[in-house]
Amino acid sequence: MSLAAFVAYIQAAPLTIILCAFLLAPVLMIAVVSFWDYDFARLYPDLILLNYEEALGSWVTWRTYGNTIKYAVMVWALTLVIGFWVAYYLAFHIRTTTMQMVLFLVCTVPFLTSNIIRMISWIPVLGRNGLVNSTLLEMGLIQAPVEWLLYSDFAVVLAMVHLYTLFMVTPIFNTLMRIDRSLIEAARDAGATSLQILTNVIIPLAKPGMAIGTIFVVTLVMADFITVLVMSGGQSASVALMMRNQMSLLQYPAAAANAVVLLIIVLLMVAAILRVVDIRKEL
C-alpha cells in the first residue's frame, strides 16, 4: 500500500468509526432484535418471523402505514409550495444580502423554542373556544364552533407544516442563491416572460434544493409521533406512534420489526428522489 493510500485511510478512519458506532451498529441491533421472541416480562433471543408476520399481516397495520404516508404526502406538498415561495421571495425580491440574511433569521426565530411548545400553541387557536372559532362566531360567519379544527387530521397536518417548513425553505433558498443571475437576464433578453423564466429556468435549477428539502420533511414526518398524538387527540395513528405504544408495553421486537419496515419504506422514497434529481452538486 502506498503512503498516499495509507494517509487517505487514516483520514477517513474517524468518520468511518463514528458512522459505524452511531448509525450502522444501532440499525443492525434493531434488525437483530426484530427477529427475537418476547412475552409480557422478557425478551428471548431467537430467529423468528412472527413479528414481521404480525406487522405485515394485519389490516390495522397497513391502515396505519397508509395514514403515515398520507401525512407525509400532504405535509410535503404544502411545505414545498410554501417553502419555495418564501425562498423565492428572499432570493429574488430582496435586493441586499444583509436584508436577506435578516429576513431568513426572522424565519428561524420560532425554531428557537421547543417543538412541543410550538405545536401546542395551536390548541388555544384552533380549540372549540379558541381564537379562530371566537372570531368566526363574532363575525357571524358560523352559528356553532367548528369542531374539526382541533383533534383532527387537519390539526395534525397544520402543526407539521408549521414545524417542518423551514427544513424546506433552507435548502431551496441555498439553491436559488447559487443560480447565476446572468441566466435569468439572458432569458429575459430572449423575450421570456416572468412565468416562463420561473418554469423553464428557476424551477429546474431549484430541483436539487427541493429534493433535499423533501428528504428532510418526509423523514421527519414519518418518524413523528408526538404531533399525531397531541394534535389528533389520540383519534389518529402513525407508524411511529404505534411503535411508541409497543415499546410502552415492552413489545420491543414488534416495535423493532415495524422500525425496519418503516426504514425500508423511507429508504425507497429517498432512492426514488435520488433517481429523479441529482443532489450531489448541492452536498
Side-chain angles (χ1 to χ4, degrees), residues 160 163-164 219-228 238 240-241:
M160 286 183 173
L163 292 174
Y164 302 135
T219 53
L220 287 169
V221 172
M222 297 287 277
D224 192 337
F225 70 89
I226 189 64
T227 305
V228 178
S238 68
L241 180 58

Side-chain angles (χ1 to χ4, degrees), residues 50-61:
L50 179 62
N51 298 313
Y52 289 97
E53 292 173 358
E54 292 179 347
L56 301 177
S58 171
W59 68 269
V60 175
T61 304

Side-chain angles (χ1 to χ4, degrees), residues 1-275:
M1 180 184 297
S2 66
L3 179 61
F6 178 75
V7 171
Y9 278 114
I10 293 298
Q11 291 175 335
L15 180 58
T16 302
I17 293 172
I18 291 173
L19 289 177
C20 290
F22 296 101
L23 179 62
L24 296 181
V27 171
L28 181 61
M29 187 180 301
I30 291 172
V32 170
V33 173
S34 69
F35 292 101
W36 287 10
D37 197 2
Y38 66 95
D39 58 22
F40 67 94
R42 58 179 295 184
L43 306 179
Y44 302 93
D46 205 340
L47 185 60
I48 61 174
L49 297 176
L50 179 62
N51 298 313
Y52 289 97
E53 292 173 358
E54 292 179 347
L56 301 177
S58 171
W59 68 269
V60 175
T61 304
W62 282 105
R63 185 175 179 180
T64 303
Y65 276 93
N67 204 46
T68 304
I69 294 174
K70 178 188 70 176
Y71 285 145
V73 172
M74 294 175 67
V75 173
W76 164 75
L78 291 171
T79 55
L80 179 62
V81 172
I82 297 171
F84 177 81
W85 287 113
V86 170
Y88 177 82
Y89 177 80
L90 290 176
F92 293 104
H93 290 275
I94 304 300
R95 300 301 181 184
T96 63
T97 303
T98 301
M99 186 56 65
Q100 286 175 338
M101 293 299 102
V102 169
L103 293 178
F104 181 77
L105 290 175
V106 169
C107 293
T108 66
V109 167
F111 289 81
L112 300 178
T113 60
S114 167
N115 276 11
I116 303 297
I117 294 175
R118 287 186 286 125
M119 177 185 60
I120 63 176
S121 65
W122 284 104
I123 294 178
V125 176
L126 302 176
R128 180 180 177 84
N129 298 315
L131 180 62
V132 173
N133 274 319
S134 299
T135 302
L136 293 176
L137 287 170
E138 291 178 2
M139 296 175 64
L141 298 178
I142 57 175
Q143 301 302 318
V146 180
E147 301 289 346
W148 52 263
L149 289 179
L150 187 61
Y151 303 137
S152 62
D153 285 347
F154 170 81
V156 173
V157 172
L158 180 63
M160 286 183 173
V161 170
H162 177 212
L163 292 174
Y164 302 135
T165 296
L166 186 66
F167 293 95
M168 188 69 77
V169 172
T170 302
I172 296 177
F173 176 67
N174 181 60
T175 303
L176 294 180
M177 290 299 293
R178 295 186 182 187
I179 295 177
D180 190 347
R181 297 305 190 265
S182 63
L183 296 176
I184 299 175
E185 293 298 328
R188 186 173 289 112
D189 292 341
T193 64
S194 297
L195 181 60
Q196 290 173 326
I197 293 174
L198 177 64
T199 57
N200 296 323
V201 178
I202 296 176
I203 291 180
L205 294 175
K207 284 182 179 179
M210 294 180 185
I212 295 173
T214 297
I215 293 173
F216 286 156
V217 171
V218 169
T219 53
L220 287 169
V221 172
M222 297 287 277
D224 192 337
F225 70 89
I226 189 64
T227 305
V228 178
L229 176 64
V230 174
M231 299 306 293
S232 72
Q235 300 179 54
S236 189
S238 68
V239 179
L241 180 58
M242 179 174 62
M243 289 190 293
R244 177 256 191 187
N245 293 335
Q246 289 172 330
M247 287 187 291
S248 67
L249 298 173
L250 304 182
Q251 299 174 355
Y252 294 109
N258 279 300
V260 171
V261 174
L262 182 62
L263 177 61
I264 292 173
I265 292 175
V266 172
L267 289 177
L268 289 175
M269 290 182 175
V270 172
I273 294 170
L274 297 180
R275 293 273 296 183

